[in-house]
PDB file of all heavy atoms in Angstrom:
ATOM      1  N   MET A   6      67.359 129.569  78.078  1.00 46.00           N
ATOM      2  CA  MET A   6      67.852 130.884  78.478  1.00 46.00           C
ATOM      3  C   MET A   6      66.712 131.858  78.720  1.00 46.00           C
ATOM      4  O   MET A   6      66.802 132.713  79.590  1.00 46.00           O
ATOM      5  CB  MET A   6      68.764 131.444  77.397  1.00 46.00           C
ATOM      6  CG  MET A   6      70.146 130.829  77.450  1.00 46.00           C
ATOM      7  SD  MET A   6      71.075 131.300  76.027  1.00 46.00           S
ATOM      8  CE  MET A   6      72.318 130.042  76.024  1.00 46.00           C
ATOM      9  N   LYS A  14      65.408 135.478  90.460  1.00 63.00           N
ATOM     10  CA  LYS A  14      65.514 136.775  91.139  1.00 63.00           C
ATOM     11  C   LYS A  14      65.939 136.626  92.598  1.00 63.00           C
ATOM     12  O   LYS A  14      66.577 137.493  93.167  1.00 63.00           O
ATOM     13  CB  LYS A  14      64.150 137.506  91.088  1.00 63.00           C
ATOM     14  CG  LYS A  14      63.794 137.939  89.689  1.00 63.00           C
ATOM     15  CD  LYS A  14      64.664 139.130  89.253  1.00 63.00           C
ATOM     16  CE  LYS A  14      64.607 139.289  87.745  1.00 63.00           C
ATOM     17  NZ  LYS A  14      65.791 138.679  87.073  1.00 63.00           N
ATOM     18  N   VAL A  23      85.249 138.007 100.181  1.00 95.00           N
ATOM     19  CA  VAL A  23      85.749 136.792 100.818  1.00 95.00           C
ATOM     20  C   VAL A  23      87.235 136.602 100.507  1.00 95.00           C
ATOM     21  O   VAL A  23      87.656 136.718  99.354  1.00 95.00           O
ATOM     22  CB  VAL A  23      84.945 135.564 100.353  1.00 95.00           C
ATOM     23  CG1 VAL A  23      85.570 134.284 100.900  1.00 95.00           C
ATOM     24  CG2 VAL A  23      83.500 135.682 100.813  1.00 95.00           C
ATOM     25  N   VAL A  45      71.214 126.716  88.696  1.00 95.00           N
ATOM     26  CA  VAL A  45      72.498 126.023  88.699  1.00 95.00           C
ATOM     27  C   VAL A  45      73.579 127.045  88.398  1.00 95.00           C
ATOM     28  O   VAL A  45      73.543 127.706  87.369  1.00 95.00           O
ATOM     29  CB  VAL A  45      72.536 124.892  87.661  1.00 95.00           C
ATOM     30  CG1 VAL A  45      73.911 124.229  87.659  1.00 95.00           C
ATOM     31  CG2 VAL A  45      71.454 123.865  87.944  1.00 95.00           C
ATOM     32  N   ARG A  61      84.046 125.296  99.163  1.00 94.00           N
ATOM     33  CA  ARG A  61      84.070 124.742 100.520  1.00 94.00           C
ATOM     34  C   ARG A  61      83.820 125.806 101.581  1.00 94.00           C
ATOM     35  O   ARG A  61      83.508 125.475 102.723  1.00 94.00           O
ATOM     36  CB  ARG A  61      85.408 124.043 100.778  1.00 94.00           C
ATOM     37  CG  ARG A  61      85.570 122.748  99.975  1.00 94.00           C
ATOM     38  CD  ARG A  61      87.018 122.325  99.894  1.00 94.00           C
ATOM     39  NE  ARG A  61      87.537 122.012 101.216  1.00 94.00           N
ATOM     40  CZ  ARG A  61      87.520 120.781 101.734  1.00 94.00           C
ATOM     41  NH1 ARG A  61      87.061 119.780 101.029  1.00 94.00           N
ATOM     42  NH2 ARG A  61      87.967 120.567 102.942  1.00 94.00           N
ATOM     43  N   ILE A  72      94.993 124.805 108.734  1.00 91.00           N
ATOM     44  CA  ILE A  72      95.723 126.018 108.365  1.00 91.00           C
ATOM     45  C   ILE A  72      94.869 126.999 107.573  1.00 91.00           C
ATOM     46  O   ILE A  72      95.340 128.056 107.183  1.00 91.00           O
ATOM     47  CB  ILE A  72      96.980 125.658 107.532  1.00 91.00           C
ATOM     48  CG1 ILE A  72      96.594 124.802 106.334  1.00 91.00           C
ATOM     49  CG2 ILE A  72      98.018 124.958 108.381  1.00 91.00           C
ATOM     50  CD1 ILE A  72      97.703 124.701 105.313  1.00 91.00           C
ATOM     51  N   ILE A  79      79.768 135.752 104.307  1.00 95.00           N
ATOM     52  CA  ILE A  79      78.954 134.883 103.455  1.00 95.00           C
ATOM     53  C   ILE A  79      77.628 134.673 104.166  1.00 95.00           C
ATOM     54  O   ILE A  79      77.608 134.310 105.353  1.00 95.00           O
ATOM     55  CB  ILE A  79      79.628 133.520 103.214  1.00 95.00           C
ATOM     56  CG1 ILE A  79      81.000 133.712 102.548  1.00 95.00           C
ATOM     57  CG2 ILE A  79      78.751 132.624 102.361  1.00 95.00           C
ATOM     58  CD1 ILE A  79      81.775 132.432 102.347  1.00 95.00           C
ATOM     59  N   ILE A  86      76.865 133.017 107.823  1.00 94.00           N
ATOM     60  CA  ILE A  86      77.157 131.629 108.209  1.00 94.00           C
ATOM     61  C   ILE A  86      78.447 131.513 109.008  1.00 94.00           C
ATOM     62  O   ILE A  86      78.709 130.487 109.608  1.00 94.00           O
ATOM     63  CB  ILE A  86      77.222 130.675 106.989  1.00 94.00           C
ATOM     64  CG1 ILE A  86      78.356 131.058 106.053  1.00 94.00           C
ATOM     65  CG2 ILE A  86      75.894 130.625 106.269  1.00 94.00           C
ATOM     66  CD1 ILE A  86      78.604 130.021 104.972  1.00 94.00           C
ATOM     67  N   ASP A  92      76.062 127.015 114.008  1.00 91.00           N
ATOM     68  CA  ASP A  92      76.746 125.744 114.207  1.00 91.00           C
ATOM     69  C   ASP A  92      77.088 125.173 112.830  1.00 91.00           C
ATOM     70  O   ASP A  92      76.180 124.904 112.038  1.00 91.00           O
ATOM     71  CB  ASP A  92      75.800 124.800 114.963  1.00 91.00           C
ATOM     72  CG  ASP A  92      76.420 123.436 115.183  1.00 91.00           C
ATOM     73  OD1 ASP A  92      77.593 123.253 114.819  1.00 91.00           O
ATOM     74  OD2 ASP A  92      75.716 122.573 115.721  1.00 91.00           O
ATOM     75  N   VAL A  94      77.877 122.405 111.887  1.00 90.00           N
ATOM     76  CA  VAL A  94      77.295 121.087 111.660  1.00 90.00           C
ATOM     77  C   VAL A  94      75.850 121.223 111.150  1.00 90.00           C
ATOM     78  O   VAL A  94      75.429 120.547 110.213  1.00 90.00           O
ATOM     79  CB  VAL A  94      77.388 120.276 112.965  1.00 90.00           C
ATOM     80  CG1 VAL A  94      76.539 119.043 112.891  1.00 90.00           C
ATOM     81  CG2 VAL A  94      78.834 119.923 113.243  1.00 90.00           C
ATOM     82  N   ILE A 114      73.410 100.283 100.882  1.00 95.00           N
ATOM     83  CA  ILE A 114      72.875 101.414 100.120  1.00 95.00           C
ATOM     84  C   ILE A 114      71.857 102.172 100.962  1.00 95.00           C
ATOM     85  O   ILE A 114      71.882 103.400 101.057  1.00 95.00           O
ATOM     86  CB  ILE A 114      72.235 100.880  98.815  1.00 95.00           C
ATOM     87  CG1 ILE A 114      73.336 100.330  97.911  1.00 95.00           C
ATOM     88  CG2 ILE A 114      71.438 101.960  98.119  1.00 95.00           C
ATOM     89  CD1 ILE A 114      72.822  99.598  96.680  1.00 95.00           C
ATOM     90  N   VAL A 118      72.035 106.250 102.472  1.00 96.00           N
ATOM     91  CA  VAL A 118      71.083 107.339 102.273  1.00 96.00           C
ATOM     92  C   VAL A 118      70.459 107.755 103.603  1.00 96.00           C
ATOM     93  O   VAL A 118      70.204 108.932 103.845  1.00 96.00           O
ATOM     94  CB  VAL A 118      69.999 106.909 101.261  1.00 96.00           C
ATOM     95  CG1 VAL A 118      69.030 108.052 101.011  1.00 96.00           C
ATOM     96  CG2 VAL A 118      70.649 106.480  99.963  1.00 96.00           C
ATOM     97  N   LEU A 142      66.406 108.428  96.638  1.00 95.00           N
ATOM     98  CA  LEU A 142      66.972 107.589  95.575  1.00 95.00           C
ATOM     99  C   LEU A 142      66.248 107.847  94.257  1.00 95.00           C
ATOM    100  O   LEU A 142      66.862 107.857  93.192  1.00 95.00           O
ATOM    101  CB  LEU A 142      66.883 106.113  95.965  1.00 95.00           C
ATOM    102  CG  LEU A 142      67.888 105.666  97.036  1.00 95.00           C
ATOM    103  CD1 LEU A 142      67.545 104.279  97.547  1.00 95.00           C
ATOM    104  CD2 LEU A 142      69.311 105.678  96.488  1.00 95.00           C
ATOM    105  N   GLN A 167      77.578 104.992  92.083  1.00 94.00           N
ATOM    106  CA  GLN A 167      78.060 105.471  93.385  1.00 94.00           C
ATOM    107  C   GLN A 167      77.868 106.978  93.499  1.00 94.00           C
ATOM    108  O   GLN A 167      77.439 107.479  94.530  1.00 94.00           O
ATOM    109  CB  GLN A 167      79.547 105.143  93.558  1.00 94.00           C
ATOM    110  CG  GLN A 167      79.819 103.686  93.830  1.00 94.00           C
ATOM    111  CD  GLN A 167      81.273 103.439  94.213  1.00 94.00           C
ATOM    112  OE1 GLN A 167      82.038 104.372  94.415  1.00 94.00           O
ATOM    113  NE2 GLN A 167      81.638 102.178  94.318  1.00 94.00           N
ATOM    114  N   ILE A 172      74.747 111.565  95.648  1.00 93.00           N
ATOM    115  CA  ILE A 172      73.818 112.687  95.466  1.00 93.00           C
ATOM    116  C   ILE A 172      72.543 112.411  96.262  1.00 93.00           C
ATOM    117  O   ILE A 172      72.030 113.285  96.972  1.00 93.00           O
ATOM    118  CB  ILE A 172      73.531 112.908  93.968  1.00 93.00           C
ATOM    119  CG1 ILE A 172      74.809 113.384  93.267  1.00 93.00           C
ATOM    120  CG2 ILE A 172      72.415 113.921  93.778  1.00 93.00           C
ATOM    121  CD1 ILE A 172      74.701 113.475  91.762  1.00 93.00           C
ATOM    122  N   MET A 185      78.515 120.922  94.458  1.00 95.00           N
ATOM    123  CA  MET A 185      79.101 119.760  93.798  1.00 95.00           C
ATOM    124  C   MET A 185      80.470 120.126  93.264  1.00 95.00           C
ATOM    125  O   MET A 185      80.599 121.034  92.446  1.00 95.00           O
ATOM    126  CB  MET A 185      78.208 119.315  92.637  1.00 95.00           C
ATOM    127  CG  MET A 185      76.795 118.981  93.064  1.00 95.00           C
ATOM    128  SD  MET A 185      75.827 118.533  91.634  1.00 95.00           S
ATOM    129  CE  MET A 185      75.108 117.035  92.207  1.00 95.00           C
ATOM    130  N   ASP A 186      81.482 119.399  93.727  1.00 94.00           N
ATOM    131  CA  ASP A 186      82.852 119.698  93.304  1.00 94.00           C
ATOM    132  C   ASP A 186      83.278 118.698  92.228  1.00 94.00           C
ATOM    133  O   ASP A 186      83.607 117.560  92.547  1.00 94.00           O
ATOM    134  CB  ASP A 186      83.786 119.634  94.516  1.00 94.00           C
ATOM    135  CG  ASP A 186      85.152 120.223  94.208  1.00 94.00           C
ATOM    136  OD1 ASP A 186      85.404 120.521  93.019  1.00 94.00           O
ATOM    137  OD2 ASP A 186      85.951 120.382  95.143  1.00 94.00           O
ATOM    138  N   ARG A 208      67.369 121.358  90.109  1.00 90.00           N
ATOM    139  CA  ARG A 208      67.197 122.805  90.131  1.00 90.00           C
ATOM    140  C   ARG A 208      65.766 123.202  90.522  1.00 90.00           C
ATOM    141  O   ARG A 208      65.530 124.287  91.033  1.00 90.00           O
ATOM    142  CB  ARG A 208      67.538 123.327  88.740  1.00 90.00           C
ATOM    143  CG  ARG A 208      67.356 124.784  88.526  1.00 90.00           C
ATOM    144  CD  ARG A 208      68.066 125.179  87.263  1.00 90.00           C
ATOM    145  NE  ARG A 208      67.460 124.553  86.090  1.00 90.00           N
ATOM    146  CZ  ARG A 208      66.583 125.185  85.296  1.00 90.00           C
ATOM    147  NH1 ARG A 208      66.244 126.431  85.546  1.00 90.00           N
ATOM    148  NH2 ARG A 208      66.089 124.567  84.243  1.00 90.00           N
ATOM    149  N   SER A 212      69.010 125.335  94.982  1.00 93.00           N
ATOM    150  CA  SER A 212      70.037 125.864  94.095  1.00 93.00           C
ATOM    151  C   SER A 212      71.244 124.943  94.145  1.00 93.00           C
ATOM    152  O   SER A 212      71.547 124.355  95.170  1.00 93.00           O
ATOM    153  CB  SER A 212      70.421 127.288  94.468  1.00 93.00           C
ATOM    154  OG  SER A 212      70.856 127.352  95.781  1.00 93.00           O
ATOM    155  N   MET A 220      84.018 123.025  80.074  1.00 88.00           N
ATOM    156  CA  MET A 220      83.203 124.183  79.716  1.00 88.00           C
ATOM    157  C   MET A 220      81.910 123.779  79.041  1.00 88.00           C
ATOM    158  O   MET A 220      80.891 124.419  79.207  1.00 88.00           O
ATOM    159  CB  MET A 220      84.007 125.120  78.841  1.00 88.00           C
ATOM    160  CG  MET A 220      84.876 125.981  79.716  1.00 88.00           C
ATOM    161  SD  MET A 220      86.172 126.774  78.868  1.00 88.00           S
ATOM    162  CE  MET A 220      87.101 125.454  78.223  1.00 88.00           C
ATOM    163  N   ASN A 237      91.061 135.116  91.931  1.00 94.00           N
ATOM    164  CA  ASN A 237      90.134 136.229  91.735  1.00 94.00           C
ATOM    165  C   ASN A 237      88.895 135.752  90.997  1.00 94.00           C
ATOM    166  O   ASN A 237      88.975 134.864  90.153  1.00 94.00           O
ATOM    167  CB  ASN A 237      90.772 137.323  90.881  1.00 94.00           C
ATOM    168  CG  ASN A 237      91.941 137.945  91.598  1.00 94.00           C
ATOM    169  OD1 ASN A 237      91.793 138.477  92.697  1.00 94.00           O
ATOM    170  ND2 ASN A 237      93.118 137.837  90.982  1.00 94.00           N
ATOM    171  N   VAL A 239      86.907 136.635  88.159  1.00 94.00           N
ATOM    172  CA  VAL A 239      87.127 137.537  87.032  1.00 94.00           C
ATOM    173  C   VAL A 239      85.808 138.030  86.462  1.00 94.00           C
ATOM    174  O   VAL A 239      85.634 139.217  86.198  1.00 94.00           O
ATOM    175  CB  VAL A 239      87.939 136.816  85.939  1.00 94.00           C
ATOM    176  CG1 VAL A 239      88.052 137.688  84.700  1.00 94.00           C
ATOM    177  CG2 VAL A 239      89.321 136.471  86.473  1.00 94.00           C
ATOM    178  N   LYS A 246      75.901 134.594  78.322  1.00 93.00           N
ATOM    179  CA  LYS A 246      76.743 135.764  78.063  1.00 93.00           C
ATOM    180  C   LYS A 246      78.224 135.419  78.220  1.00 93.00           C
ATOM    181  O   LYS A 246      79.046 135.769  77.367  1.00 93.00           O
ATOM    182  CB  LYS A 246      76.351 136.881  79.036  1.00 93.00           C
ATOM    183  CG  LYS A 246      77.235 138.103  78.909  1.00 93.00           C
ATOM    184  CD  LYS A 246      76.538 139.357  79.348  1.00 93.00           C
ATOM    185  CE  LYS A 246      77.349 140.607  79.003  1.00 93.00           C
ATOM    186  NZ  LYS A 246      78.768 140.515  79.315  1.00 93.00           N
ATOM    187  N   ILE A 247      78.551 134.703  79.311  1.00 92.00           N
ATOM    188  CA  ILE A 247      79.957 134.347  79.545  1.00 92.00           C
ATOM    189  C   ILE A 247      80.513 133.566  78.361  1.00 92.00           C
ATOM    190  O   ILE A 247      81.654 133.763  77.945  1.00 92.00           O
ATOM    191  CB  ILE A 247      80.088 133.493  80.821  1.00 92.00           C
ATOM    192  CG1 ILE A 247      79.588 134.262  82.033  1.00 92.00           C
ATOM    193  CG2 ILE A 247      81.515 132.985  81.008  1.00 92.00           C
ATOM    194  CD1 ILE A 247      80.605 135.060  82.753  1.00 92.00           C
ATOM    195  N   ARG A 263      92.863 129.375  75.489  1.00 69.00           N
ATOM    196  CA  ARG A 263      94.211 129.924  75.472  1.00 69.00           C
ATOM    197  C   ARG A 263      94.856 129.944  76.856  1.00 69.00           C
ATOM    198  O   ARG A 263      96.061 129.972  76.957  1.00 69.00           O
ATOM    199  CB  ARG A 263      94.223 131.321  74.837  1.00 69.00           C
ATOM    200  CG  ARG A 263      94.621 131.250  73.366  1.00 69.00           C
ATOM    201  CD  ARG A 263      94.501 132.572  72.677  1.00 69.00           C
ATOM    202  NE  ARG A 263      93.104 132.871  72.334  1.00 69.00           N
ATOM    203  CZ  ARG A 263      92.608 134.100  72.329  1.00 69.00           C
ATOM    204  NH1 ARG A 263      93.376 135.129  72.643  1.00 69.00           N
ATOM    205  NH2 ARG A 263      91.350 134.295  72.003  1.00 69.00           N
TER     206      ARG A 263
END
Side-chain angles (χ1 to χ4, degrees):
Chain A
M6 282 171 200
K14 291 287 163 261
V23 174
V45 178
R61 290 162 64 92
I72 54 166
I79 301 176
I86 63 170
D92 179 4
V94 167
I114 292 172
V118 182
L142 286 169
Q167 286 189 8
I172 293 173
M185 302 178 131
D186 192 352
R208 177 165 65 98
S212 57
M220 278 163 299
N237 295 301
V239 174
K246 176 154 189 315
I247 299 269
R263 263 174 281 147

